Amino acid sequence: GYVYAHKTVNPRDWFFRAHFHQDPVMPGSLGVEALLQALQAFALQTGIGREFRSPRFAHAESHNTIWKYRGQIVPDNKDMALEMHIKKIEAKPGCITLLAEASLWKENLRIYEVNSLALSVVETT
């Protein structure tokens, strides 16, 4: 699968004033959170976990997500986008894990690279 999302940068967003004193940038963790939320949207739209009686999202067990930052989102940026390629969907009893490669962009420059983003949908016990 493939996921794409786009957002116009609002220079009045709260995090620009709150992250670093006199150095307005979007926190890097919010970019990673955007990628995870896009992966959740993919799971919901494709019905992953629909066979579970009470599914919920969870961090993938024994998985470390590693990303590289090569730039920042600042108030002067016009837009940001993300894209993700779903590489694998692993199903085990009570757990489905999605693995993806993802990027976050500002204008036409890739500034985040995540080679192994993972998210699980699990049966709530």
Side-chain angles (χ1 to χ4, degrees), residues 35-106:
L35 294 167
L36 285 168
Q37 287 183 16
L39 193 53
Q40 289 174 349
F42 174 84
L44 290 169
Q45 289 179 353
T46 57
I48 291 173
R50 67 177 164 258
E51 65 273 19
F52 296 151
R53 202 183 78 176
S54 184
R56 67 176 174 82
F57 294 114
H59 293 284
E61 285 189 28
S62 302
H63 182 83
N64 293 322
T65 298
I66 299 171
W67 62 91
K68 295 177 185 175
Y69 294 107
R70 295 189 174 99
Q72 300 172 324
I73 303 290
V74 298
D76 292 339
N77 292 128
K78 301 294 182 225
D79 59 16
M80 60 181 272
L82 63 84
E83 69 175 347
M84 167 176 334
H85 297 273
I86 310 302
K87 294 298 182 185
K88 186 188 260 187
I89 299 174
E90 297 174 339
K92 297 178 182 175
C95 179
I96 301 170
T97 301
L98 295 90
L99 299 163
E101 292 179 357
S103 298
L104 189 128
W105 301 71
K106 67 176 183 181

Side-chain angles (χ1 to χ4, degrees), residues 10 12 22 25 34 36-37 48 70-71 123:
N10 181 349
R12 292 181 301 280
Q22 297 181 342
V25 300
L36 285 168
Q37 287 183 16
I48 291 173
R70 295 189 174 99
E123 179 67 78

